Amino acid sequence: MQGYIINLNKVKDEDLIVTIISKDSLDTLYRFYGARHGTINVGFKIDYEKESSGKSTISRLKDVIHIGFKWINNYKLLRLWQDFTALFHKHLIDAEDLGSFYFELIEEASKKWDKQNPKRVAIEAYVKLLEHEGRLHTEHICFLCSCEIEDKDISLLRAYLPTHQRCSHTQPINKDALNELFVNKSSLFLDDKEVDRLWHLLLQGL
């Protein structure tokens, strides 16, 4: 089976507890340290097998093959990718029936990561996630004062919750550009400063 590593915890003697999101499940597995084992890291896509253990409730991770991206050696792209994929661990760790949505969302983003500004790819993916979970607020109603936002700009909080700039005292984003993002999942009309703002909000958590 194939999946993306979204968390690593080092335990005794360089062994690892590895959390992997696959098309069908979220797996937390034990990987024994071995000199012949290739290096794995957060964000890596791998092919792997699970082996049950009679001594532990955690299955063993085995037969790992790293499925590399063609941009894997670009440190800047890889670092942004790891920041993005690591967000899924805290968000999904207690989820039960995931379905294939999250795996396919990450898979789609990985294919665009070196073809577009990766921050834009992540932001567009996040808006799809918010919509999938029923958390995308497309109405221009301020989250803090509950009044309509009639200004030409909108400020956002974590989870892209809309506010008046005067209420949240945060950097505003053009309303038309934000509508394009929320409706068509396109960051085309956002400028780079607005993209950086949305990226930093995204890093606060899914």
Side-chain angles (χ1 to χ4, degrees):
M1 56 197 307
Q2 295 184 356
Y4 289 89
I5 298 173
I6 58 173
N7 193 61
L8 291 175
N9 281 322
K10 191 176 289 187
V11 289
K12 62 176 184 177
D13 301 324
E14 304 295 324
D15 293 353
L16 297 170
I17 301 293
V18 186
T19 305
I20 304 166
I21 184 168
S22 71
K23 197 166 187 176
D24 302 312
S25 62
L26 189 69
D27 295 319
T28 298
L29 306 171
Y30 197 97
R31 192 194 198 204
F32 291 102
Y33 174 77
R36 293 179 297 170
H37 289 171
T39 301
I40 58 174
N41 213 329
V42 171
F44 281 17
K45 184 180 183 181
I46 60 171
D47 189 277
Y48 66 102
E49 298 293 336
K50 296 185 290 185
E51 182 178 68
S52 299
S53 170
K55 299 180 180 179
S56 173
T57 56
I58 302 178
S59 296
R60 177 188 169 197
L61 174 65
K62 57 176 292 189
D63 298 337
V64 174
I65 299 173
H66 178 208
I67 305 171
F69 310 115
K70 61 182 180 181
W71 46 263
I72 196 75
N73 292 321
N74 184 316
Y75 176 77
K76 183 179 179 181
L77 290 180
L78 179 60
R79 185 62 196 167
L80 290 170
W81 178 250
Q82 290 177 324
D83 289 343
F84 174 61
T85 51
L87 293 168
F88 286 84
H89 178 252
K90 187 175 181 179
H91 186 65
L92 298 175
I93 192 61
D94 295 321
E96 295 184 357
D97 185 16
L98 286 186
S100 62
F101 172 81
Y102 299 96
F103 174 85
E104 291 172 354
L105 189 74
I106 297 172
E107 179 92 335
E108 180 184 13
S110 74
K111 294 174 181 177
K112 297 178 180 178
W113 207 249
D114 63 333
K115 295 180 173 63
Q116 300 171 229
N117 179 333
K119 292 180 181 179
R120 292 180 182 270
V121 175
I123 289 164
E124 291 167 2
Y126 182 45
V127 171
K128 292 176 184 176
L129 182 150
L130 290 173
E131 184 175 67
H132 173 76
E133 295 180 349
R135 297 192 291 131
L136 184 61
H137 290 257
T138 57
E139 308 86 0
H140 299 154
I141 303 298
C142 179
F143 179 72
L144 296 177
C145 74
S146 300
C147 294
E148 184 176 357
I149 303 170
E150 297 179 342
D151 310 329
K152 67 175 184 178
D153 294 329
I154 295 178
S155 291
L156 297 178
L157 301 176
R158 180 177 173 176
Y160 293 177
L161 293 170
T163 69
H164 293 104
Q165 184 184 13
R166 63 180 179 271
C167 291
S168 60
H169 305 289
T170 57
Q171 177 189 325
I173 294 171
N174 180 271
K175 185 185 288 185
D176 291 337
L178 197 62
N179 284 340
E180 177 68 13
L181 176 64
F182 283 4
V183 174
N184 296 319
K185 316 302 178 288
S186 171
S187 62
L188 180 64
F189 299 123
L190 295 167
D191 64 32
D192 289 343
K193 189 175 180 181
E194 290 170 329
V195 167
D196 283 339
R197 167 65 181 161
L198 291 173
W199 170 254
H200 287 299
L201 283 174
L202 171 56
L203 292 181
Q204 293 179 16
L206 302 181

mmCIF file of all heavy atoms in Angstrom, residues 85-122:
data_model
loop_
_atom_site.group_PDB
_atom_site.id
_atom_site.type_symbol
_atom_site.label_atom_id
_atom_site.label_comp_id
_atom_site.label_asym_id
_atom_site.label_seq_id
_atom_site.Cartn_x
_atom_site.Cartn_y
_atom_site.Cartn_z
ATOM 1 N N THR A 85 2.382 19.029 5.131
ATOM 2 C CA THR A 85 1.882 17.680 5.418
ATOM 3 C C THR A 85 1.839 17.384 6.918
ATOM 4 O O THR A 85 0.970 16.633 7.377
ATOM 5 C CB THR A 85 2.725 16.612 4.700
ATOM 6 O OG1 THR A 85 4.116 16.827 4.970
ATOM 7 C CG2 THR A 85 2.502 16.665 3.188
ATOM 8 N N ALA A 86 2.741 17.990 7.684
ATOM 9 C CA ALA A 86 2.745 17.755 9.133
ATOM 10 C C ALA A 86 1.466 18.269 9.795
ATOM 11 O O ALA A 86 1.061 17.767 10.851
ATOM 12 C CB ALA A 86 3.965 18.410 9.770
ATOM 13 N N LEU A 87 0.817 19.237 9.184
ATOM 14 C CA LEU A 87 -0.423 19.789 9.744
ATOM 15 C C LEU A 87 -1.533 18.742 9.822
ATOM 16 O O LEU A 87 -2.422 18.832 10.675
ATOM 17 C CB LEU A 87 -0.903 20.969 8.897
ATOM 18 C CG LEU A 87 -0.018 22.221 8.901
ATOM 19 C CD1 LEU A 87 -0.461 23.178 7.793
ATOM 20 C CD2 LEU A 87 -0.081 22.918 10.253
ATOM 21 N N PHE A 88 -1.487 17.757 8.950
ATOM 22 C CA PHE A 88 -2.557 16.761 8.896
ATOM 23 C C PHE A 88 -2.535 15.835 10.101
ATOM 24 O O PHE A 88 -3.569 15.254 10.449
ATOM 25 C CB PHE A 88 -2.460 15.952 7.600
ATOM 26 C CG PHE A 88 -2.902 16.709 6.381
ATOM 27 C CD1 PHE A 88 -2.026 17.551 5.709
ATOM 28 C CD2 PHE A 88 -4.205 16.608 5.912
ATOM 29 C CE1 PHE A 88 -2.433 18.265 4.597
ATOM 30 C CE2 PHE A 88 -4.619 17.315 4.789
ATOM 31 C CZ PHE A 88 -3.732 18.153 4.137
ATOM 32 N N HIS A 89 -1.384 15.678 10.738
ATOM 33 C CA HIS A 89 -1.303 14.748 11.866
ATOM 34 C C HIS A 89 -2.194 15.189 13.024
ATOM 35 O O HIS A 89 -3.064 14.442 13.485
ATOM 36 C CB HIS A 89 0.144 14.602 12.336
ATOM 37 C CG HIS A 89 0.285 13.693 13.519
ATOM 38 N ND1 HIS A 89 0.583 14.160 14.781
ATOM 39 C CD2 HIS A 89 0.138 12.350 13.636
ATOM 40 C CE1 HIS A 89 0.636 13.140 15.622
ATOM 41 N NE2 HIS A 89 0.364 12.025 14.963
ATOM 42 N N LYS A 90 -1.995 16.401 13.486
ATOM 43 C CA LYS A 90 -2.798 16.888 14.609
ATOM 44 C C LYS A 90 -4.274 16.976 14.235
ATOM 45 O O LYS A 90 -5.159 16.707 15.057
ATOM 46 C CB LYS A 90 -2.278 18.259 15.061
ATOM 47 C CG LYS A 90 -2.935 18.782 16.321
ATOM 48 C CD LYS A 90 -2.284 20.075 16.785
ATOM 49 C CE LYS A 90 -2.949 20.562 18.081
ATOM 50 N NZ LYS A 90 -2.320 21.826 18.571
ATOM 51 N N HIS A 91 -4.547 17.308 12.980
ATOM 52 C CA HIS A 91 -5.933 17.477 12.542
ATOM 53 C C HIS A 91 -6.685 16.150 12.464
ATOM 54 O O HIS A 91 -7.881 16.088 12.759
ATOM 55 C CB HIS A 91 -5.944 18.167 11.176
ATOM 56 C CG HIS A 91 -7.316 18.519 10.685
ATOM 57 N ND1 HIS A 91 -8.127 19.438 11.326
ATOM 58 C CD2 HIS A 91 -8.034 18.076 9.616
ATOM 59 C CE1 HIS A 91 -9.262 19.543 10.685
ATOM 60 N NE2 HIS A 91 -9.245 18.730 9.649
ATOM 61 N N LEU A 92 -5.983 15.093 12.090
ATOM 62 C CA LEU A 92 -6.661 13.826 11.796
ATOM 63 C C LEU A 92 -6.410 12.723 12.819
ATOM 64 O O LEU A 92 -7.008 11.655 12.710
ATOM 65 C CB LEU A 92 -6.217 13.311 10.412
ATOM 66 C CG LEU A 92 -6.556 14.200 9.210
ATOM 67 C CD1 LEU A 92 -5.953 13.606 7.941
ATOM 68 C CD2 LEU A 92 -8.058 14.370 9.055
ATOM 69 N N ILE A 93 -5.557 12.963 13.798
ATOM 70 C CA ILE A 93 -5.099 11.874 14.659
ATOM 71 C C ILE A 93 -6.241 11.145 15.383
ATOM 72 O O ILE A 93 -6.166 9.946 15.634
ATOM 73 C CB ILE A 93 -4.051 12.390 15.685
ATOM 74 C CG1 ILE A 93 -3.353 11.229 16.380
ATOM 75 C CG2 ILE A 93 -4.679 13.361 16.663
ATOM 76 C CD1 ILE A 93 -2.592 10.314 15.455
ATOM 77 N N ASP A 94 -7.313 11.858 15.694
ATOM 78 C CA ASP A 94 -8.427 11.211 16.393
ATOM 79 C C ASP A 94 -9.600 10.877 15.473
ATOM 80 O O ASP A 94 -10.660 10.453 15.933
ATOM 81 C CB ASP A 94 -8.921 12.111 17.533
ATOM 82 C CG ASP A 94 -7.872 12.304 18.617
ATOM 83 O OD1 ASP A 94 -7.174 11.320 18.934
ATOM 84 O OD2 ASP A 94 -7.734 13.434 19.123
ATOM 85 N N ALA A 95 -9.402 11.093 14.167
ATOM 86 C CA ALA A 95 -10.486 10.803 13.216
ATOM 87 C C ALA A 95 -10.681 9.298 13.069
ATOM 88 O O ALA A 95 -9.748 8.518 13.241
ATOM 89 C CB ALA A 95 -10.162 11.428 11.864
ATOM 90 N N GLU A 96 -11.887 8.902 12.724
ATOM 91 C CA GLU A 96 -12.179 7.485 12.556
ATOM 92 C C GLU A 96 -12.332 7.141 11.083
ATOM 93 O O GLU A 96 -11.455 6.682 10.473
ATOM 94 C CB GLU A 96 -13.424 7.112 13.372
ATOM 95 C CG GLU A 96 -13.178 7.263 14.878
ATOM 96 C CD GLU A 96 -14.353 6.805 15.724
ATOM 97 O OE1 GLU A 96 -15.396 6.427 15.159
ATOM 98 O OE2 GLU A 96 -14.207 6.829 16.953
ATOM 99 N N ASP A 97 -13.396 7.380 10.463
ATOM 100 C CA ASP A 97 -13.582 7.000 9.062
ATOM 101 C C ASP A 97 -13.130 8.145 8.156
ATOM 102 O O ASP A 97 -13.872 9.077 7.885
ATOM 103 C CB ASP A 97 -15.051 6.661 8.802
ATOM 104 C CG ASP A 97 -15.293 6.150 7.391
ATOM 105 O OD1 ASP A 97 -14.305 5.766 6.727
ATOM 106 O OD2 ASP A 97 -16.452 6.144 6.953
ATOM 107 N N LEU A 98 -11.877 8.067 7.669
ATOM 108 C CA LEU A 98 -11.308 9.165 6.884
ATOM 109 C C LEU A 98 -11.824 9.202 5.454
ATOM 110 O O LEU A 98 -11.992 10.262 4.878
ATOM 111 C CB LEU A 98 -9.774 9.036 6.826
ATOM 112 C CG LEU A 98 -8.977 9.383 8.075
ATOM 113 C CD1 LEU A 98 -7.500 9.328 7.746
ATOM 114 C CD2 LEU A 98 -9.351 10.742 8.606
ATOM 115 N N GLY A 99 -12.026 8.037 4.863
ATOM 116 C CA GLY A 99 -12.290 7.999 3.429
ATOM 117 C C GLY A 99 -11.007 8.331 2.681
ATOM 118 O O GLY A 99 -9.914 8.363 3.245
ATOM 119 N N SER A 100 -11.125 8.620 1.406
ATOM 120 C CA SER A 100 -9.937 8.860 0.581
ATOM 121 C C SER A 100 -9.650 10.343 0.356
ATOM 122 O O SER A 100 -8.650 10.687 -0.281
ATOM 123 C CB SER A 100 -10.110 8.166 -0.773
ATOM 124 O OG SER A 100 -11.223 8.707 -1.482
ATOM 125 N N PHE A 101 -10.507 11.229 0.874
ATOM 126 C CA PHE A 101 -10.396 12.648 0.547
ATOM 127 C C PHE A 101 -9.031 13.229 0.894
ATOM 128 O O PHE A 101 -8.410 13.911 0.070
ATOM 129 C CB PHE A 101 -11.489 13.453 1.263
ATOM 130 C CG PHE A 101 -11.317 14.938 1.130
ATOM 131 C CD1 PHE A 101 -11.730 15.600 -0.021
ATOM 132 C CD2 PHE A 101 -10.707 15.684 2.144
ATOM 133 C CE1 PHE A 101 -11.545 16.972 -0.171
ATOM 134 C CE2 PHE A 101 -10.526 17.055 2.008
ATOM 135 C CZ PHE A 101 -10.949 17.691 0.847
ATOM 136 N N TYR A 102 -8.537 12.995 2.102
ATOM 137 C CA TYR A 102 -7.312 13.645 2.559
ATOM 138 C C TYR A 102 -6.091 13.124 1.808
ATOM 139 O O TYR A 102 -5.203 13.902 1.443
ATOM 140 C CB TYR A 102 -7.151 13.471 4.069
ATOM 141 C CG TYR A 102 -8.295 14.092 4.837
ATOM 142 C CD1 TYR A 102 -9.376 13.322 5.260
ATOM 143 C CD2 TYR A 102 -8.316 15.459 5.100
ATOM 144 C CE1 TYR A 102 -10.439 13.883 5.938
ATOM 145 C CE2 TYR A 102 -9.383 16.039 5.776
ATOM 146 C CZ TYR A 102 -10.435 15.248 6.192
ATOM 147 O OH TYR A 102 -11.500 15.823 6.844
ATOM 148 N N PHE A 103 -6.054 11.821 1.574
ATOM 149 C CA PHE A 103 -4.958 11.264 0.778
ATOM 150 C C PHE A 103 -4.945 11.868 -0.615
ATOM 151 O O PHE A 103 -3.893 12.281 -1.123
ATOM 152 C CB PHE A 103 -5.091 9.740 0.689
ATOM 153 C CG PHE A 103 -4.086 9.097 -0.237
ATOM 154 C CD1 PHE A 103 -2.820 8.773 0.212
ATOM 155 C CD2 PHE A 103 -4.415 8.831 -1.567
ATOM 156 C CE1 PHE A 103 -1.887 8.187 -0.647
ATOM 157 C CE2 PHE A 103 -3.497 8.258 -2.429
ATOM 158 C CZ PHE A 103 -2.231 7.932 -1.964
ATOM 159 N N GLU A 104 -6.097 11.936 -1.241
ATOM 160 C CA GLU A 104 -6.173 12.463 -2.608
ATOM 161 C C GLU A 104 -5.857 13.953 -2.649
ATOM 162 O O GLU A 104 -5.275 14.445 -3.621
ATOM 163 C CB GLU A 104 -7.561 12.179 -3.190
ATOM 164 C CG GLU A 104 -7.781 10.693 -3.459
ATOM 165 C CD GLU A 104 -9.205 10.357 -3.849
ATOM 166 O OE1 GLU A 104 -10.061 11.273 -3.804
ATOM 167 O OE2 GLU A 104 -9.469 9.193 -4.189
ATOM 168 N N LEU A 105 -6.203 14.684 -1.590
ATOM 169 C CA LEU A 105 -5.875 16.105 -1.513
ATOM 170 C C LEU A 105 -4.358 16.302 -1.473
ATOM 171 O O LEU A 105 -3.806 17.149 -2.187
ATOM 172 C CB LEU A 105 -6.518 16.711 -0.254
ATOM 173 C CG LEU A 105 -6.450 18.230 -0.122
ATOM 174 C CD1 LEU A 105 -7.421 18.900 -1.089
ATOM 175 C CD2 LEU A 105 -6.773 18.653 1.320
ATOM 176 N N ILE A 106 -3.679 15.512 -0.646
ATOM 177 C CA ILE A 106 -2.217 15.587 -0.556
ATOM 178 C C ILE A 106 -1.583 15.137 -1.867
ATOM 179 O O ILE A 106 -0.618 15.754 -2.351
ATOM 180 C CB ILE A 106 -1.708 14.730 0.621
ATOM 181 C CG1 ILE A 106 -2.237 15.280 1.943
ATOM 182 C CG2 ILE A 106 -0.186 14.685 0.643
ATOM 183 C CD1 ILE A 106 -1.964 14.396 3.151
ATOM 184 N N GLU A 107 -2.118 14.093 -2.445
ATOM 185 C CA GLU A 107 -1.597 13.570 -3.715
ATOM 186 C C GLU A 107 -1.694 14.631 -4.819
ATOM 187 O O GLU A 107 -0.735 14.852 -5.576
ATOM 188 C CB GLU A 107 -2.410 12.328 -4.112
ATOM 189 C CG GLU A 107 -1.984 11.704 -5.410
ATOM 190 C CD GLU A 107 -0.956 10.608 -5.234
ATOM 191 O OE1 GLU A 107 -0.230 10.609 -4.229
ATOM 192 O OE2 GLU A 107 -0.867 9.752 -6.121
ATOM 193 N N GLU A 108 -2.831 15.298 -4.900
ATOM 194 C CA GLU A 108 -3.013 16.338 -5.911
ATOM 195 C C GLU A 108 -2.037 17.488 -5.691
ATOM 196 O O GLU A 108 -1.438 18.011 -6.636
ATOM 197 C CB GLU A 108 -4.456 16.859 -5.865
ATOM 198 C CG GLU A 108 -4.760 17.943 -6.887
ATOM 199 C CD GLU A 108 -6.171 18.500 -6.759
ATOM 200 O OE1 GLU A 108 -6.830 18.232 -5.741
ATOM 201 O OE2 GLU A 108 -6.597 19.222 -7.676
ATOM 202 N N ALA A 109 -1.864 17.880 -4.435
ATOM 203 C CA ALA A 109 -0.943 18.974 -4.118
ATOM 204 C C ALA A 109 0.493 18.613 -4.484
ATOM 205 O O ALA A 109 1.250 19.449 -4.989
ATOM 206 C CB ALA A 109 -1.040 19.324 -2.635
ATOM 207 N N SER A 110 0.891 17.367 -4.250
ATOM 208 C CA SER A 110 2.274 16.945 -4.544
ATOM 209 C C SER A 110 2.597 17.071 -6.028
ATOM 210 O O SER A 110 3.746 17.355 -6.404
ATOM 211 C CB SER A 110 2.499 15.504 -4.078
ATOM 212 O OG SER A 110 1.851 14.564 -4.936
ATOM 213 N N LYS A 111 1.598 16.867 -6.863
ATOM 214 C CA LYS A 111 1.815 16.933 -8.313
ATOM 215 C C LYS A 111 1.929 18.376 -8.814
ATOM 216 O O LYS A 111 2.469 18.625 -9.890
ATOM 217 C CB LYS A 111 0.675 16.210 -9.041
ATOM 218 C CG LYS A 111 0.660 14.715 -8.772
ATOM 219 C CD LYS A 111 -0.561 14.043 -9.389
ATOM 220 C CE LYS A 111 -0.575 12.546 -9.088
ATOM 221 N NZ LYS A 111 -1.797 11.876 -9.626
ATOM 222 N N LYS A 112 1.423 19.323 -8.038
ATOM 223 C CA LYS A 112 1.469 20.735 -8.430
ATOM 224 C C LYS A 112 2.604 21.492 -7.737
ATOM 225 O O LYS A 112 2.880 22.634 -8.084
ATOM 226 C CB LYS A 112 0.146 21.421 -8.056
ATOM 227 C CG LYS A 112 -1.087 20.886 -8.748
ATOM 228 C CD LYS A 112 -2.324 21.621 -8.238
ATOM 229 C CE LYS A 112 -3.597 21.148 -8.893
ATOM 230 N NZ LYS A 112 -4.788 21.847 -8.331
ATOM 231 N N TRP A 113 3.229 20.862 -6.739
ATOM 232 C CA TRP A 113 4.113 21.562 -5.805
ATOM 233 C C TRP A 113 5.259 22.320 -6.482
ATOM 234 O O TRP A 113 5.663 23.379 -6.015
ATOM 235 C CB TRP A 113 4.665 20.581 -4.789
ATOM 236 C CG TRP A 113 5.019 21.199 -3.478
ATOM 237 C CD1 TRP A 113 6.276 21.371 -2.959
ATOM 238 C CD2 TRP A 113 4.114 21.706 -2.488
ATOM 239 N NE1 TRP A 113 6.205 21.945 -1.722
ATOM 240 C CE2 TRP A 113 4.886 22.161 -1.411
ATOM 241 C CE3 TRP A 113 2.719 21.819 -2.417
ATOM 242 C CZ2 TRP A 113 4.314 22.725 -0.265
ATOM 243 C CZ3 TRP A 113 2.153 22.374 -1.283
ATOM 244 C CH2 TRP A 113 2.938 22.821 -0.231
ATOM 245 N N ASP A 114 5.797 21.776 -7.568
ATOM 246 C CA ASP A 114 6.917 22.434 -8.254
ATOM 247 C C ASP A 114 6.477 23.173 -9.515
ATOM 248 O O ASP A 114 7.303 23.759 -10.216
ATOM 249 C CB ASP A 114 8.002 21.416 -8.612
ATOM 250 C CG ASP A 114 7.520 20.364 -9.588
ATOM 251 O OD1 ASP A 114 6.303 20.086 -9.615
ATOM 252 O OD2 ASP A 114 8.352 19.815 -10.331
ATOM 253 N N LYS A 115 5.186 23.141 -9.799
ATOM 254 C CA LYS A 115 4.683 23.780 -11.018
ATOM 255 C C LYS A 115 4.062 25.149 -10.733
ATOM 256 O O LYS A 115 3.909 25.970 -11.628
ATOM 257 C CB LYS A 115 3.652 22.883 -11.705
ATOM 258 C CG LYS A 115 4.241 21.569 -12.222
ATOM 259 C CD LYS A 115 3.174 20.720 -12.891
ATOM 260 C CE LYS A 115 3.768 19.483 -13.551
ATOM 261 N NZ LYS A 115 4.396 18.576 -12.575
ATOM 262 N N GLN A 116 3.688 25.388 -9.481
ATOM 263 C CA GLN A 116 3.108 26.650 -9.056
ATOM 264 C C GLN A 116 3.799 27.074 -7.762
ATOM 265 O O GLN A 116 4.576 26.301 -7.179
ATOM 266 C CB GLN A 116 1.600 26.504 -8.799
ATOM 267 C CG GLN A 116 0.782 26.060 -9.990
ATOM 268 C CD GLN A 116 -0.648 25.722 -9.601
ATOM 269 O OE1 GLN A 116 -1.189 24.689 -9.956
ATOM 270 N NE2 GLN A 116 -1.284 26.623 -8.852
ATOM 271 N N ASN A 117 3.524 28.279 -7.317
ATOM 272 C CA ASN A 117 3.986 28.686 -5.998
ATOM 273 C C ASN A 117 3.398 27.702 -4.979
ATOM 274 O O ASN A 117 2.172 27.589 -4.851
ATOM 275 C CB ASN A 117 3.490 30.111 -5.715
ATOM 276 C CG ASN A 117 3.910 30.623 -4.347
ATOM 277 O OD1 ASN A 117 4.129 29.864 -3.419
ATOM 278 N ND2 ASN A 117 3.994 31.934 -4.230
ATOM 279 N N PRO A 118 4.233 26.953 -4.252
ATOM 280 C CA PRO A 118 3.698 25.910 -3.367
ATOM 281 C C PRO A 118 2.780 26.452 -2.272
ATOM 282 O O PRO A 118 1.874 25.744 -1.822
ATOM 283 C CB PRO A 118 4.956 25.264 -2.780
ATOM 284 C CG PRO A 118 6.040 26.264 -2.991
ATOM 285 C CD PRO A 118 5.696 26.998 -4.234
ATOM 286 N N LYS A 119 3.002 27.684 -1.852
ATOM 287 C CA LYS A 119 2.103 28.266 -0.855
ATOM 288 C C LYS A 119 0.697 28.428 -1.426
ATOM 289 O O LYS A 119 -0.295 28.197 -0.730
ATOM 290 C CB LYS A 119 2.641 29.616 -0.380
ATOM 291 C CG LYS A 119 3.932 29.522 0.426
ATOM 292 C CD LYS A 119 4.409 30.898 0.863
ATOM 293 C CE LYS A 119 5.714 30.811 1.640
ATOM 294 N NZ LYS A 119 6.210 32.152 2.045
ATOM 295 N N ARG A 120 0.614 28.784 -2.701
ATOM 296 C CA ARG A 120 -0.696 28.893 -3.357
ATOM 297 C C ARG A 120 -1.354 27.519 -3.471
ATOM 298 O O ARG A 120 -2.560 27.380 -3.273
ATOM 299 C CB ARG A 120 -0.545 29.541 -4.740
ATOM 300 C CG ARG A 120 -0.149 31.011 -4.692
ATOM 301 C CD ARG A 120 -0.006 31.611 -6.082
ATOM 302 N NE ARG A 120 0.406 33.002 -6.033
ATOM 303 C CZ ARG A 120 -0.424 34.049 -5.989
ATOM 304 N NH1 ARG A 120 -1.731 33.834 -6.026
ATOM 305 N NH2 ARG A 120 0.024 35.284 -5.916
ATOM 306 N N VAL A 121 -0.558 26.512 -3.796
ATOM 307 C CA VAL A 121 -1.086 25.144 -3.887
ATOM 308 C C VAL A 121 -1.667 24.718 -2.541
ATOM 309 O O VAL A 121 -2.766 24.153 -2.462
ATOM 310 C CB VAL A 121 0.018 24.164 -4.328
ATOM 311 C CG1 VAL A 121 -0.501 22.719 -4.298
ATOM 312 C CG2 VAL A 121 0.530 24.509 -5.715
ATOM 313 N N ALA A 122 -0.936 24.988 -1.471
ATOM 314 C CA ALA A 122 -1.379 24.605 -0.131
ATOM 315 C C ALA A 122 -2.648 25.351 0.271
ATOM 316 O O ALA A 122 -3.576 24.763 0.839
ATOM 317 C CB ALA A 122 -0.267 24.875 0.877
#
